[in-house]
Amino acid sequence: MAATAALLKACILFTVCQITWASLLQEQDSDSYIIHMDVSKMPTVFSGHEDWYHSLLASDSFKEAAATDASMATLKPVYVYANAINGFSAILSSPQLELLKNQPGFVSAYPDMEVTRDTTHTFEFLNLSPVSGIWPASKFGEDVIIGMIDTGVWPESKSYADEGMPEVPKRWKGQCDSGIGFSSSMCNKKLIGARYFNKGLKAKDPNLTISMNSPRDVEGHGTHTSSTAAGSHVEGASYFGYAAGTARGMAPRARLAIYKALWEEGSYASDVIAAIDQAISDGVDVVSISMGYDQVPLHQDPVAIAAFSAMEKGIFVSSSAGNEGPTLSTLHNGTPWVLTVGASTIDRKFGAVITLGNGITLFGASMYPGLDSSLTRVPLLYSEATKACNSSELLKNVGHKVVLCEFSKYTTEQMSTLASSDVAGSLFIVNSSSDQSDVIRDFPGAILSLEDSKAIFSYIGKSNNPVVSIRFGGTATGTKPAPSIADYTSRGPSPSTPMVLKPDLVAPGSLVLASWTMNSSTVTVGQKSLFTDFNIISGTSMACPHASGVAALLKSVHPDWSPAAIRSAMVTTASILDNTNDPIQDGGQPASPLAMGAGQIDPNKAMDPGLVYDAGRDDYVKLICSLNYTKRQIQTITRSPSEVDDCADIDLDLNYPSFIAFFTGKQPPKVKTFKRVVTNVGDGGATYRAELKQMKGFLVTVSPETLVFQKKNDKASFVLTIERTSPTEADVVSGSLSWIESQGNHVVRSPVVATKIDAKPLSCPQPTVFSGHEDWYHSLLATDSFKAAAASDATIATLKPVYVYTNAINGFSAILSSSQLELLKNLPGFVSAYPDMEVTRDTTHTFEFLNLSPVSGIWPASKFGEDVIIGMVDTGVWPESKSYADEGMPEVPKRWKGQCESGIGFSASMCNRKLIGARYFNKGLKAKDPYLTISMNSPRDVEGHGTHTSSTAAGSYVEGASYFGYAAGTARGMAPRARLAIYKALWEEGRYASDIIAAIDQAISDGVDVVSISMGYDQIPLHQDPVAIAAFSAMEKGIFVSSSAGNEGPTLSTLHNGTPWVLTVGASTIDRKFGAVITLGNGVTLFGASMYPGLDSSLTRVPLLYSEATKACNSSELLKNVGHKVVLCEFSKYTTEQMSTLASSDVAGSLFIVNSSSDQSDVIRDFPGAILSLEDSKAIFSYIAKSSNPVVTIRFGGTVTGTKPAPSIAHYTSRGPSPSTPMVLKPDVVAPGSLVLASWTMNSSVVTVGQKSLFTDFNIISGTSMACPHASGVAALLKSVHPDWSPAAIRSAMVTTASILDNTNDPLQDGRQPASPLAMGAGQIDPNKAMDPGLVYDAGRDDYVKLICSLNYTKRQIQTITRSPSDVDDCADIDMDLNYPSFIAFFAGKQPPKVKTFKRVVTNVGDVGATYTKQR
């Protein structure tokens, strides 16, 4: 009965198809058809297929059948197909079609159809910013006060703009000190305090003249760190065009208080302590200290001592670890009560694109700012005589050449020698894994790795006249792996307290862009000094303010948390994985906690850590008391009378969120035990279970293994034990303890270290007659005995304190002779004294973190897709686009058989070594309407779609690409060295299947390797699907076909191109948003989605209007008298009516409220408006309700990167199951399809603002059309790496390595729910992993034929697809269970099956034998 039902269902479906066709034939007497023929039935009298088809249509019977239509009396084929299908297309009457059906060799025919194109307007994918989730929760750190101890501030920087900020908090007690070049009026509601401290410096040299005796920064360091921590939004920031975009601090709404204690003339501890002392008194919430003291015990460390007092008052202190890495035990600021921050590298590199004469392209590290200069095909010189590049004599006669040099730590000698010799430029070879991109700034040179140099040496060895082209100003994002540990960052253990694991974590410290001083040049090129208001530098100094800003955000969200709780939250939520989901690397090896602490800081997760390891003053005193310090040394730190901190209780085992055990000495211990107490900071009760990562040679256990909390703030204790079980060669081994919440909402991870390193810690009553401390100290120094002790030194005969400290420490600083110091030591109340010390500042020159590009690892392996040919079936090409530049590309492969066709506005000479072919196909379109005039009858694109998709797949590097300033940067395709062949088959006038098949047919004949098809046909069976049929032929010839899934989501079963032998690509969203920064009159700042290109306009404190009468924004009558105001509107799918009404009413702008989770940033392009979520609108309504005169400021052109979670599934992407073959799971994967920037046509405007039409050579649009060419480019890369792989093997590699996690390490989301494979397939494409999948699920022609034969198709329908004679594909073997890398089982019907079984065969494509185990 079940079988009968299945047959009946098939018959009904078939009948429906026949009825549909019949109705089409009845509606018009003739139509354009695609006819499939069995070429084995061709009579031998014909010379070929085309002769046969022409003969059929020229017969008398065909002429008679067309007698009613004179235009068809001399019929001939529109197209003849020989590759994609066997057959032709033609205009046929109904009688002619019936005649044809009875001819020998006829297989099938169906009407030509208009194609559906997969495009909506959206923008490209750019990646991670670690503060997106916590910003709204913390109100961007609003009113938290960060005290920066540094070199001062450049107050004119836009990073200190206070636009929209509320009044200064009343609790603030600080002030703004005037001085040279600085007045108190320079402070504002952002920069709320500025003081300077140099008495200690002056005391060292009373005759010293300080050049800038004020809070003004003339070195840049303090401006850089403070703007990193809490700078305001600054649009258009860059370092001479590098890193162009919007700069902002980690806590952009926090307040800044500047304490200048570091000077060009010298930096001393006394000034640093004075600065921290004052900061405590002023009322800061966070202190940021990018400096430190090396190899000193706690009781002699000014930062540690001052920070203890700050901790007591609830002030969080963040400090830098130092730049003495990679040597162990070099870390400073390893103080238990501060956060110690190491530096991580980032995944953006600056440099030059280097193209050798043989076409090979390399990327060399450089920050040379000569962006307007270029070196094109300059002779390249390498010789033993000149390679040292340090001899003017040897270089003076070289002339205008690029010299290959051996890098020697970039000595001034090398650079000055090269500059004076008039050589054109230089390429340096360096054998180092560390980033060198900040080294070359003042000379046209670049640094290549030793690995990359092999290509140069190989080329020079084979060429008689080697040449090179160098383009500076390149920005490469998404390098992998990232982050990694910066080689310079100092390592633990902490010399002062090795029993506390340090550093705590790492934060971005390399290549950070932030504000800079404008008083002196940052680089000199030739004789020209260059100035910039932003600079790119590196160091743990740059990492520290990132953490300080995060602390401010956490302080805002959790004002009741202690400094230890905030630190714990950061530590236990830090990430140990890089952007390849592998462990963070340190010099090519997994990083040790002694280098990275708990890992890379994760602000969003830190906001909700689940559990915290808290600690307070008493806990730290117990630890200090265990360090064998004297009572006076302890008092130096704690500042308490000796009887208060009497050390009755000592404990080295601080309640810290990490563990380090030392197994050293002649008889090392066998066991180390740690006790900890954790506090539940979740909203309710919770249960956690322990998960341990073991260490080689040790057994780690925890008791109990489960912690149960009944409510928030409950505490629980546990014991962790590390037992040495066997000898280990490694000096340091590490593991981890993770407490995992039962619901999976929290993972509280702590690093665990066992080491053989021998590390040991570096080893006052006031008389009542005085009115205060200062009086007492002055009296001490004014005694006759002190004067007598100074008799030999007149400069200190009338001694007085340099500073008096009452907050950070109890005491003072002073210039003392040795005799005076000895006198002081014997006085009542003396605790300790140590010499003032010059501080070490943590800075080297490097650049900022920008994130993921998914092709970095595979590019060098594939030579960037070199010589793979991608055929793009689309709307044509705009050949003038820089994306098709062929600079440095070798000659066209000899196997290429295609050509470049001329036509209107397009000549054959427009093709080159990148754009190697361009053809156009519109005979089917013309056949539909013989009188049709095609406006651009050539391969030229006038719609933009084809230019966008082809440049996405394989566009060359284009610097300075943007959409009116949005998404500014370097554009490039996924396979930038691949060749492009354009097949224009989609037209403004119409799009028909006959032209599509002709295009694919020609592409197969021409010799493409990959076909990219961003179009499809909805709800048709395989044997009627032109793409499916043509792709079958391509598959047979080893050509990979990538296709778009369609834009009919989120409804299920809407997907097209669900063909088993093609890759079906859905679209994912990306983590960048464009819009406007909206600041209300009360200082609240929001971000509204917009792509309005009026970047040179702004709306400043414009009246804000909301009323029931105007909220619909669709009545000119109601809006005409509003005037210059910003109107609050209810969003109604952005109707033309709303926009035209607003534009005609002369309102200043609009804010739209929309209740939708989908991104709307591409909606408003032609009017100064922005779209806010319903959630954000609450802040506006609250403000309007409380204000009698509400105002708003709107700045357009904002770019926010790193939004989370991303990627997610684009709501528009069509879903499976596949209507044509539901037994094969589709889509296969998703790829970036939303908000993609790529090349565009310049023939027509993309947006009209007012009466002005705007044009752009790059556009931001979205759709599965944009996702497909990403996958096509990846296929080209894989084809280059694995030329012997079948299309199925390439597809399998992409599918089985796809990622199911977003950038929060949670499952990809689809409308706030975990995405189903029917929406995302196997997940987000991962090009690097696809290069080495381990196993593949392969399939070939015979496998697909078995599946086709199982679909109840007729023999002719099967022949339509396979093109083989009926006796070849006789369906003797049928099998619906294709050897596919995914599985879908249907349990439907009245009596659904209980079991579904699948058989698979996998092929090992690894280099050697391997064993695999299943994982569920």
Side-chain angles (χ1 to χ4, degrees), residues 689-727:
R689 62 175 178 82
E691 183 177 279
L692 290 163
K693 180 185 175 185
Q694 296 292 339
M695 304 178 290
K696 186 176 181 180
F698 296 87
L699 175 65
V700 184
T701 58
V702 65
S703 178
E705 295 182 345
T706 301
L707 302 177
V708 179
F709 303 88
Q710 300 300 325
K711 61 184 184 301
K712 186 175 182 178
N713 294 324
D714 272 2
K715 298 180 186 295
S717 61
F718 66 91
V719 175
L720 181 135
T721 302
I722 304 176
E723 181 181 0
R724 185 164 52 92
T725 57
S726 62

Side-chain angles (χ1 to χ4, degrees), residues 11 34 61 182 198 233 264 379 442 468 475 526 576 624 883 938 1000 1012 1140 1301 1355 1411:
C11 290
I34 297 163
S61 57
F182 197 100
N198 56 28
H233 284 68
E264 280 186 304
D442 57 359
V468 66
T475 300
I576 59 170
I624 295 166
S883 291
S938 73
I1000 301 173
S1012 186
S1140 61
L1301 301 178
K1355 282 190 175 183
T1411 301

Side-chain angles (χ1 to χ4, degrees), residues 1026-1251:
V1027 173
I1029 296 165
F1032 191 93
S1033 178
M1035 173 274 299
E1036 288 181 302
K1037 293 173 176 62
I1039 299 169
F1040 186 93
V1041 179
S1042 175
S1043 65
S1044 53
N1047 297 331
E1048 299 301 317
T1051 307
L1052 293 178
S1053 298
T1054 53
L1055 170 144
H1056 59 212
N1057 292 325
T1059 307
W1061 43 90
V1062 307
L1063 182 78
T1064 311
V1065 188
S1068 54
T1069 65
I1070 50 182
D1071 71 345
R1072 179 174 67 182
K1073 293 184 181 297
F1074 299 135
V1077 177
I1078 300 147
T1079 306
L1080 306 180
N1082 62 355
V1084 171
T1085 298
L1086 307 168
F1087 190 87
S1090 180
M1091 287 183 68
Y1092 175 65
L1095 306 185
D1096 56 350
S1097 65
S1098 63
L1099 300 172
T1100 304
R1101 296 189 67 80
V1102 177
L1104 177 61
L1105 172 68
Y1106 176 75
S1107 74
E1108 288 294 318
T1110 60
K1111 69 180 183 181
C1113 295
N1114 59 3
S1115 169
S1116 299
E1117 188 65 22
L1118 292 172
L1119 288 170
K1120 68 180 180 181
N1121 296 319
V1122 167
H1124 192 72
K1125 295 180 182 178
V1126 170
V1127 184
L1128 205 59
C1129 305
E1130 290 182 349
F1131 185 81
S1132 61
K1133 297 182 181 178
Y1134 181 49
T1135 60
T1136 305
E1137 180 185 4
Q1138 281 183 301
M1139 286 297 101
S1140 61
T1141 301
L1142 287 163
S1144 64
S1145 66
D1146 291 327
V1147 299
S1150 62
L1151 295 176
F1152 285 83
I1153 307 302
V1154 61
N1155 185 12
S1156 172
S1157 62
S1158 63
D1159 179 64
Q1160 300 286 346
S1161 60
D1162 68 322
V1163 173
I1164 298 183
R1165 296 202 182 204
D1166 57 358
F1167 183 77
I1171 304 174
L1172 294 166
S1173 68
L1174 190 63
E1175 183 63 30
D1176 281 348
S1177 70
K1178 295 176 183 177
I1180 295 185
F1181 291 132
S1182 173
Y1183 166 57
I1184 291 174
K1186 296 176 182 177
S1187 175
S1188 57
N1189 295 295
V1191 294
V1192 66
T1193 298
I1194 306 178
R1195 294 202 316 274
F1196 295 98
T1199 299
V1200 176
T1201 60
T1203 57
K1204 294 185 179 182
S1208 61
I1209 306 306
H1211 67 279
Y1212 55 78
T1213 194
S1214 295
R1215 269 58 170 182
S1218 164
S1220 59
T1221 50
M1223 72 292 301
V1224 177
L1225 180 59
K1226 292 284 181 171
D1228 293 300
V1229 292
V1230 291
S1234 292
L1235 304 164
V1236 178
L1237 178 81
S1239 290
W1240 200 251
T1241 59
M1242 287 293 289
N1243 62 299
S1244 60
S1245 67
V1246 292
V1247 65
T1248 300
V1249 177
Q1251 301 300 312

Side-chain angles (χ1 to χ4, degrees), residues 151-191:
T151 63
V153 66
W154 189 264
E156 293 83 0
S157 170
K158 293 179 181 178
S159 292
Y160 309 111
D162 68 345
E163 182 181 349
M165 295 195 76
E167 294 303 316
V168 177
K170 292 182 179 179
R171 60 188 172 87
W172 176 241
K173 295 177 283 184
Q175 65 184 51
C176 212
D177 293 341
S178 295
I180 296 173
F182 197 100
S183 70
S184 60
S185 63
M186 290 178 172
C187 286
N188 57 23
K189 290 178 283 187
K190 159 63 79 172
L191 181 62

Side-chain angles (χ1 to χ4, degrees), residues 550-887:
V550 173
L553 299 175
L554 291 171
K555 191 85 171 175
S556 178
V557 176
H558 302 290
D560 56 331
W561 278 10
S562 70
I566 292 175
R567 179 184 57 218
S568 173
M570 292 190 195
V571 169
T572 61
T573 59
S575 174
I576 59 170
L577 301 178
D578 61 26
N579 58 2
T580 68
N581 277 329
D582 287 331
I584 291 173
Q585 298 291 294
D586 182 13
Q589 299 294 323
S592 158
L594 294 182
M596 73 172 180
Q600 173 90 338
I601 194 170
D602 189 327
N604 294 316
K605 289 187 176 178
M607 182 170 58
D608 183 21
L611 306 176
V612 297
Y613 296 74
D614 212 348
R617 183 188 189 281
D618 291 346
D619 303 286
Y620 297 122
V621 170
K622 289 176 186 177
L623 183 142
I624 295 166
C625 286
S626 68
L627 295 178
N628 291 320
Y629 289 171
T630 65
K631 284 189 175 183
R632 285 185 169 180
Q633 289 169 342
I634 294 169
Q635 272 189 284
T636 300
I637 302 168
T638 67
R639 303 176 307 117
S640 297
S642 56
E643 68 267 20
V644 172
D645 296 320
D646 60 358
C647 293
D649 191 0
I650 65 173
D651 193 354
L652 277 175
D653 190 18
L654 182 64
N655 195 46
Y656 214 76
S658 55
F659 307 80
I660 183 168
F662 292 84
F663 295 84
T664 56
K666 293 182 178 179
Q667 292 183 319
K670 289 187 176 181
V671 177
K672 287 283 188 177
T673 302
F674 302 85
K675 297 178 181 179
R676 292 290 188 271
V677 176
V678 286
T679 303
N680 175 30
V681 292
D683 290 333
T687 300
Y688 287 78
R689 62 175 178 82
E691 183 177 279
L692 290 163
K693 180 185 175 185
Q694 296 292 339
M695 304 178 290
K696 186 176 181 180
F698 296 87
L699 175 65
V700 184
T701 58
V702 65
S703 178
E705 295 182 345
T706 301
L707 302 177
V708 179
F709 303 88
Q710 300 300 325
K711 61 184 184 301
K712 186 175 182 178
N713 294 324
D714 272 2
K715 298 180 186 295
S717 61
F718 66 91
V719 175
L720 181 135
T721 302
I722 304 176
E723 181 181 0
R724 185 164 52 92
T725 57
S726 62
T728 176
E729 293 182 3
D731 287 336
V732 180
V733 293
S734 63
S736 63
L737 163 66
S738 296
W739 289 106
I740 302 174
E741 198 254 325
S742 60
Q743 300 301 313
N745 295 323
H746 301 100
V747 176
V748 187
R749 184 187 170 280
S750 295
V752 179
V753 172
T755 179
K756 295 191 294 184
I757 297 172
D758 191 7
K760 296 178 180 177
L762 297 170
S763 290
C764 298
Q766 173 191 334
T768 56
V769 296
F770 299 109
S771 59
H773 298 162
E774 190 165 357
D775 183 23
W776 179 30
Y777 304 152
H778 275 272
S779 176
L780 286 173
L781 300 182
T783 61
D784 290 339
S785 57
F786 260 75
K787 291 178 181 178
S792 60
D793 188 346
T795 63
I796 57 174
T798 55
L799 191 66
K800 60 181 180 179
V802 174
Y803 286 110
V804 172
Y805 308 120
T806 57
N807 296 286
I809 68 171
N810 287 335
F812 61 96
S813 64
I815 298 293
L816 300 176
S817 68
S818 301
S819 301
Q820 288 173 318
L821 178 60
E822 289 305 313
L823 280 173
L824 193 60
K825 286 180 178 179
N826 294 315
L827 291 174
F830 175 84
V831 174
S832 66
Y834 46 86
D836 208 351
M837 299 168 283
E838 188 158 7
V839 72
T840 304
R841 199 182 319 165
D842 303 330
T843 307
T844 59
H845 293 288
T846 51
F847 61 68
E848 74 169 341
F849 196 176
L850 273 186
N851 297 297
L852 184 76
S853 166
V855 294
S856 56
I858 199 173
W859 268 1
S862 68
K863 295 182 180 178
F864 307 89
E866 186 171 280
D867 282 353
V868 177
I869 303 169
I870 304 177
M872 305 294 304
V873 182
D874 216 292
T875 64
V877 66
W878 189 265
E880 293 83 1
S881 170
K882 293 179 182 178
S883 291
Y884 309 111
D886 67 345
E887 182 181 349

